[in-house]
Amino acid sequence: MLKLTIDHQTIEVAEGTTILQAARKIGGSVVPPAMCWYSKLEGSGGKCRTCLVKVSEGSAKDPRPLPKLVASCRTPVIDGMVVQNKTSPEVLEARKAIVEFLLINHPLDCPVCDQAGECDLQDLSYDNGKVSCRYQESRREFDVIDIGNLIKLHMNRCILCYRCVYVADQISGKRIHGILYRGDVSEISTYIKNSIDHNFSGNVIDVCPVGALTDKTFRFKNRVWFLKPMTAHRDCPTCSGKVIAWMRGSEIYRITGRKDEFGEVEEFICNECRFEKKNINDWIVEGPTTLKRHSVISQNHYKEIKTPSVINPLEEKMETQTNDE
Amino acid sequence: MGRKILLENSDIPNIKSFDVFRAHGGYVSVEKALKTMAPDEIIEEVKKSGLRGRGGAAFPTGLKWTFLDRKSNKPRYLVCNGDESEPGTFKDRYLMEKLPHLLIEGMICSSFALGVNTAYIYIRGEFKYLLGILNQAINEAYKNGFLGKNILGTNFSLDMYVHPGAGAYICGEETALLESLEGKRGNPRIKPPFPAVVGLYDCPTVVNNVETLANVGYIVNFGGDAYASIGLGKSTGTKLISACGKINNPGVYEIELGMSVEDFIYKEEFCGGIKDNLELKAVVPGGSSVPIVPKKIILFTASGEKRLMTYESLAEGGFESGTMLGSGGFIVYDQNACIVRNTWNFSRFYHHESCGQCSPCREGTGWMEKILWRIEHGFGNMKDIDLLVSIADKIEGNTICPLGDAAAWPVASAIRHFREDFIFHVQYPEIIKNIKHGALYKYENQD
């Protein structure tokens, strides 16, 4: 077992655990945010740089600090490591910068985006971002395209986390989805715009941290915070059938996979469950879901709010920002 | 001063061919290494020589070789990094074009030392003309028994391949190069694990620059101590410097490390002074990614001593009053050079070449380019200058690979040392708009 200290909290973890995984075991405020890393997707992570942390002591043997901030999602724990996340001003500064970088080419069309209310980028920028923007150049623009007949791609909103690429790679087993071009004009695409023709392709919607990939059967039907998330299941021949049914009255608006407290899908679900079974009779509804994510959606009573983390910090931030300027 | 290791025979006619190269002492080191030396002895000699990576990072080569994972039973690979794409650096292609056998000789010795049976030379896509030269040289080496099975009757076998990239700067980063060599998109990998443990096809791999590997033959022949006696302090041996810009004699020079920068710029056998007897304004001593420094800093260190062409002397004073030797792309600017335009040009390059994998580099390089474009074209304002410093600061150190640093350093250093140029651009946009540069300038002043 390896000993790791994050923000003065100590935990023992097994060999091969990354700093982020260890932090998630502790939970709470020591967990660095992650926009690209996904525990279920092998090879993901290291790209968005929001999970950067400071290693103030490299190991028990060699307690020198590491020269640069490291991506906690891909850095394995070494015995005796001391890590600073929220306690390091350097980390907070870097994270603020990353949020700014992620937002400069993001269209900020939240009012018309289906992801609004459950968007990782919204959460991230509420927690770490600034209210003002220093970017005055033109943003990159792409056309909205269909990826197959069930998924819509808004490339403008994409933050190039590569999660969907890993889903397509690992679930389908053949390379049908990837990144074209490079730099800030790179875009995700299916192989020569072929549709993703696979029974589990809908999971790219769930893993997308922003509203770049959206469910065509749900687009513009409703805002997520008006819907009631209900835990439901059915006897599905292809997948586990364990889902969340998003309901209004007795009508099911959409089906998604069940997500854990870090916003990760617990089990991938098949396209039949996701897109076709929209009738209440198809499902056995177990009851209301306790959403553990802090987002706009958790304003309703489906979440026991431990720390008032949504409304108040933002107001405070706005006040401090206006005082600054 | 003036001893040469690599380019000594480069002027001999037809040195490209195996027979001529062999007649001038070529492949002697291979015979010596394979027949009389143990692999560990060669590594020991390379360590003793103090040879440092010539690709820019200057990591001690012998030390890098000892990191190679020998315990796993996986095959090991040697990859020669010939993806020389840094603006201002053009030494490796000269070496490969003139003396392909020198590289192959060094690679055979290195492969033997590292226990490698398959070696690759990765060249950038634009070097297609080198493909024929290298392939011919490799074929000749095969024919003469220096490559293939049981080289020179020993148990050692080695196959060598040349692989052209598709022309991306990022594939010069060692892990991106390995991805590209595997046939994937050239995105840098996240380290750790390092290539010495998990490299090409998940096997232990050593990636070295062309010039580094070309030096190994000499070290095997004459020993590490002989190599270490050349140069100064920790900067041992010679270095190829590709000098360009506003100088009288642009070209590739092999210099002994330890020569003074002033001598290199003004001596007749090297750069030969500034063109048209103009005043020196600035120098980028190691390829576009190292900090640009003005005349007073490149010629003298902060303590008033003469600055020397060594890794340590050029880096003295950190980035406040120093720079880096990098890959040896020596770019000289005269008094008429526009630093803002130059910085914009570099920035445009890094924007174009960023792989787009990690957010600070993907978004930051584009942002910096757009701001620099505005300043250069007379649409800038004073806030932009500090904004650029802030962006560069936030890219630096937060990215997966060093491309982010490479994009940030030239911008940060240009503003640090030439802030008045930027301020002038903002204050007098009308004057700036009317200045014609480069080809346009020449065209309009023809009669």
Side-chain angles (χ1 to χ4, degrees):
Chain A
M1 295 297 268
L2 311 170
K3 206 178 119 195
L4 172 77
T5 310
I6 309 172
D7 285 357
H8 313 303
Q9 299 196 48
T10 306
I11 189 172
E12 289 207 334
V13 291
E15 189 107 7
T17 315
T18 62
I19 297 174
L20 185 73
Q21 283 168 322
R24 283 189 176 185
K25 277 189 183 162
I26 299 173
S29 70
V30 300
V31 185
M35 299 294 285
C36 65
W37 186 76
Y38 213 77
S39 62
K40 275 103 198 157
L41 301 173
E42 195 192 327
S44 65
K47 295 179 171 60
C48 69
R49 317 304 281 178
T50 53
C51 68
L52 289 175
V53 291
K54 185 174 173 58
V55 178
S56 48
E57 284 179 37
S59 66
K61 275 184 205 156
D62 181 8
R64 285 179 300 172
L66 295 187
K68 287 180 180 179
L69 302 181
V70 298
S72 58
C73 61
R74 289 293 292 268
T75 309
V77 173
I78 303 169
D79 193 28
M81 219 180 214
V82 178
V83 174
Q84 288 179 302
N85 176 27
K86 288 248 163 101
T87 49
S88 161
E90 202 185 329
V91 169
L92 296 178
E93 193 56 38
R95 203 165 284 159
K96 207 181 250 183
I98 304 295
V99 174
E100 188 175 25
F101 283 134
L102 287 175
L103 289 179
I104 62 171
N105 273 319
H106 192 78
L108 297 175
D109 56 351
C110 306
V112 293
C113 175
D114 284 297
Q115 190 85 2
E118 52 175 13
C119 176
D120 288 359
L121 191 59
Q122 278 184 332
D123 289 347
L124 185 75
S125 42
Y126 285 150
D127 286 347
N128 300 291
K130 295 178 186 174
V131 173
S132 60
C133 177
R134 298 188 293 172
Y135 187 75
Q136 46 166 303
E137 267 60 47
S138 58
R139 290 164 200 259
R140 59 181 187 150
E141 275 175 37
F142 298 92
D143 292 334
V144 179
I145 57 166
D146 285 339
I147 293 187
N149 51 355
L150 296 166
I151 305 166
K152 200 92 170 171
L153 168 63
H154 282 261
M155 193 53 219
N156 285 349
R157 296 173 185 160
C158 178
I159 58 162
L160 288 162
C161 68
Y162 283 58
R163 276 181 185 174
C164 55
V165 177
Y166 289 109
V167 170
D169 262 6
Q170 285 167 28
I171 288 184
S172 74
K174 57 178 179 181
R175 210 176 160 72
I176 45 173
H177 180 82
I179 305 277
L180 293 181
Y181 316 119
R182 68 179 175 221
D184 59 0
V185 292
S186 49
E187 53 182 293
I188 59 173
S189 176
T190 49
Y191 181 58
I192 321 181
K193 295 212 174 155
N194 280 341
S195 56
I196 302 183
D197 183 20
H198 191 271
N199 203 11
F200 278 79
S201 66
N203 289 297
V204 296
I205 300 165
D206 276 354
V207 300
C208 185
V210 292
L213 292 164
T214 46
D215 181 343
K216 276 174 82 176
T217 62
F218 174 64
R219 276 166 63 79
F220 308 130
K221 291 267 165 61
N222 217 317
R223 307 284 354 196
V224 287
W225 55 85
F226 294 138
L227 301 176
K228 292 173 185 175
M230 305 292 249
T231 314
H233 70 269
R234 72 181 264 266
D235 189 15
C236 176
T238 39
C239 70
S240 68
K242 290 177 183 167
V243 301
I244 293 177
W246 296 76
M247 298 172 66
R248 191 167 183 177
S250 61
E251 207 177 334
I252 295 182
Y253 274 80
R254 69 163 180 172
I255 304 286
T256 64
R258 290 184 192 172
K259 290 190 175 181
D260 63 14
E261 59 184 308
F262 305 109
E264 290 189 4
V265 176
E266 282 165 1
E267 276 169 283
F268 290 123
I269 58 169
C270 68
N271 282 3
E272 194 191 335
C273 287
R274 184 187 302 273
F275 298 116
E276 289 166 25
K277 303 291 175 192
K278 295 283 175 85
N279 193 321
I280 186 84
N281 297 329
D282 293 331
W283 297 96
I284 299 155
V285 179
E286 294 162 22
T289 310
T290 317
L291 281 179
K292 297 191 181 91
R293 291 290 284 173
H294 55 150
S295 191
V296 179
I297 193 173
S298 49
Q299 280 182 67
N300 63 25
H301 58 276
Y302 287 92
K303 176 186 183 267
E304 78 274 41
I305 298 171
K306 279 178 195 154
T307 48
S309 61
V310 180
I311 311 285
N312 292 339
L314 182 62
E315 278 175 359
E316 276 166 28
K317 238 172 234 171
M318 285 171 129
E319 276 163 24
T320 48
Q321 281 286 336
T322 39
N323 290 345
D324 286 349
E325 281 161 23
Chain B
M1 282 292 184
R3 276 176 288 180
K4 285 185 177 178
I5 292 174
L6 301 171
L7 300 184
E8 196 172 2
N9 295 334
S10 63
D11 291 336
I12 296 166
N14 215 7
I15 190 77
K16 259 184 239 178
S17 78
F18 180 85
D19 297 331
V20 179
F21 185 75
R22 183 86 170 115
H24 287 88
Y27 288 99
V28 173
S29 66
V30 177
E31 285 175 330
K32 187 182 173 191
L34 266 61
K35 289 185 175 162
T36 65
M37 292 173 88
D40 287 343
E41 281 176 57
I42 301 177
I43 295 180
E44 210 44 53
E45 288 301 323
V46 173
K47 266 190 185 169
K48 253 194 254 168
S49 75
L51 174 65
R52 291 165 74 172
R54 298 292 195 234
F59 193 79
T61 308
L63 194 58
K64 191 175 193 174
W65 287 6
T66 54
F67 293 154
L68 186 71
D69 180 14
R70 281 148 212 281
K71 285 174 199 147
S72 70
N73 285 324
K74 290 176 184 168
R76 298 190 280 263
Y77 294 103
L78 174 69
V79 179
C80 170
N81 184 345
D83 190 275
E84 180 188 52
S85 328
E86 182 102 343
T89 309
F90 44 91
K91 62 184 178 67
D92 291 346
R93 74 166 180 203
Y94 184 84
L95 202 61
M96 288 189 281
E97 189 181 341
K98 294 273 180 188
L99 296 154
H101 283 290
L102 191 68
L103 171 64
I104 295 169
E105 183 184 347
M107 284 184 74
I108 299 171
C109 295
S110 312
S111 302
F112 177 67
L114 296 164
V116 165
N117 297 112
T118 314
Y120 293 93
I121 303 174
Y122 184 95
I123 57 172
R124 70 186 274 211
E126 288 86 343
F127 286 175
K128 261 214 167 119
Y129 68 101
L130 289 177
L131 198 60
I133 296 172
L134 287 168
N135 270 330
Q136 199 196 341
I138 288 174
N139 285 341
E140 284 174 339
Y142 266 109
K143 257 183 227 157
N144 290 284
F146 283 95
L147 283 174
K149 282 218 154 65
N150 298 339
I151 296 169
L152 302 175
T154 60
N155 286 331
F156 179 63
S157 306
L158 177 67
D159 287 310
M160 197 178 286
Y161 305 94
V162 187
H163 185 91
Y169 173 71
I170 190 61
C171 291
E173 202 276 340
E174 58 178 3
T175 51
L177 187 154
L178 297 177
E179 288 278 298
S180 172
L181 198 53
E182 288 178 10
K184 298 176 190 158
R185 181 185 161 86
N187 276 358
R189 294 178 186 168
I190 291 132
K191 293 185 246 183
F194 290 91
V197 183
V198 181
L200 186 63
Y201 307 118
D202 287 349
C203 297
T205 307
V206 167
V207 185
N208 277 133
N209 180 257
V210 173
E211 195 190 338
T212 316
L213 289 170
N215 272 313
V216 174
Y218 179 91
I219 295 170
V220 170
N221 271 338
F222 301 100
D225 290 328
Y227 190 87
S229 70
I230 308 169
L232 188 75
K234 279 186 177 172
S235 304
T236 58
T238 63
K239 173 96 185 75
L240 296 184
I241 305 284
S242 50
C244 62
K246 293 291 174 67
I247 46 174
N248 284 322
N249 313 323
V252 180
Y253 298 99
E254 182 170 11
I255 61 156
E256 204 172 304
L257 289 169
M259 155 190 267
S260 81
V261 177
E262 195 173 1
D263 282 355
F264 183 71
I265 298 176
Y266 291 105
K267 269 201 174 165
E268 204 46 51
E269 66 258 46
F270 299 109
C271 300
I274 312 298
K275 216 172 182 180
D276 304 331
N277 286 323
L278 293 174
E279 192 62 24
L280 172 65
K281 181 173 187 180
V283 170
V284 175
S288 65
S289 53
V290 309
I292 185 170
V293 284
K295 181 182 180 181
K296 65 174 191 300
I297 287 182
I298 190 68
L299 296 183
F300 299 99
T301 60
S303 51
E305 288 162 32
K306 271 196 173 177
R307 208 177 279 276
L308 308 175
M309 295 288 275
T310 62
Y311 291 108
E312 291 78 24
S313 178
L314 280 171
E316 200 181 318
F319 282 176
E320 280 308 310
S321 65
T323 173
M324 285 162 78
L325 183 54
S327 55
F330 200 85
I331 313 172
V332 180
Y333 301 91
D334 68 16
Q335 64 195 55
N336 295 332
C338 175
I339 299 297
V340 180
R341 192 175 183 85
N342 177 66
T343 313
W344 167 56
N345 189 26
F346 283 170
S347 210
R348 190 174 55 164
F349 172 80
Y350 289 111
H351 176 207
H352 184 250
E353 295 295 343
S354 168
C355 78
Q357 201 183 188
C358 61
S359 28
C361 175
R362 177 183 68 232
E363 310 292 354
T365 51
W367 192 0
M368 287 200 300
E369 195 227 313
K370 285 171 187 163
I371 295 174
L372 281 162
W373 183 91
R374 277 199 289 116
I375 297 179
E376 167 59 23
H377 290 84
F379 305 104
N381 58 49
M382 284 298 175
K383 263 190 183 173
D384 289 338
I385 302 172
D386 288 325
L387 180 58
L388 277 172
V389 177
S390 161
I391 299 169
D393 180 49
K394 278 161 181 178
I395 298 174
E396 189 188 335
N398 290 341
T399 53
I400 295 176
C401 79
L403 194 142
D405 300 344
W409 289 340
V411 176
S413 63
I415 297 176
R416 188 181 305 128
H417 298 303
F418 299 97
R419 187 179 273 266
E420 61 275 24
D421 284 36
F422 287 84
I423 292 175
F424 184 84
H425 273 68
V426 173
Q427 279 177 340
Y428 303 103
E430 290 311 316
I431 298 175
I432 298 308
K433 277 179 199 166
N434 291 326
I435 296 176
K436 305 283 189 295
H437 293 273
L440 194 59
Y441 174 78
K442 269 187 194 154
Y443 181 75
E444 293 201 344
N445 288 285
Q446 245 170 8
D447 344 285

